[in-house]
Amino acid sequence: MRHGTTSIGDALREFLNKSRMKPRLTEVRIQENWEDIMGKTIARYTSGIQLIDGKLIITTTVAPLKQELSYSKDKIIKLVNEKLGENVVKEVIIR
């Protein structure tokens, strides 16, 4: 690559990192990878995943799953952040 030039991938990555779209795109990435991160059973019984200001909000109507997820908040943070390759999730809220 010549001096002073940037690849399209690098330019796009830089644009997205500075863009207001980044939080929404990160949320979509979490939603798309939710089954890989948490497994099929948990993914099947969670009805919503949102990311708002570093808070991952997980919605489920299954009471035992709510309890299990409440006990696993630190693990969920670790798994999601590892999957994304950056520290985006700071807190988990179960609804």
Side-chain angles (χ1 to χ4, degrees):
M1 197 171 293
R2 291 181 293 183
H3 180 69
T5 61
T6 304
S7 74
I8 293 174
D10 290 341
L12 186 58
R13 222 173 279 110
E14 185 176 333
F15 168 75
L16 289 175
N17 283 334
K18 293 179 180 179
S19 168
R20 293 183 309 170
M21 294 186 299
K22 184 172 182 183
R24 177 66 182 123
L25 291 172
T26 302
E27 181 179 313
V28 170
R29 286 178 57 206
I30 293 170
Q31 291 168 348
E32 288 177 345
N33 291 295
W34 188 243
E35 188 175 308
D36 290 341
I37 295 167
M38 298 303 295
K40 283 186 177 187
T41 305
I42 291 175
R44 184 180 311 135
Y45 294 108
T46 50
S47 56
I49 307 293
Q50 292 179 295
L51 182 66
I52 301 171
D53 295 329
K55 296 174 186 165
L56 184 66
I57 302 167
I58 304 168
T59 307
T60 182
T61 56
V62 181
L65 180 58
K66 282 183 184 181
Q67 192 68 28
E68 183 180 331
L69 292 173
S70 291
Y71 291 134
S72 303
K73 288 181 178 183
D74 290 337
K75 183 179 178 184
I76 294 168
I77 292 170
K78 181 180 177 212
L79 290 171
V80 171
N81 287 338
E82 282 178 0
K83 182 71 173 181
L84 297 178
E86 54 185 314
N87 287 329
V88 234
V89 178
K90 310 283 186 238
E91 182 181 348
V92 171
I93 298 170
I94 312 297
R95 290 189 178 160

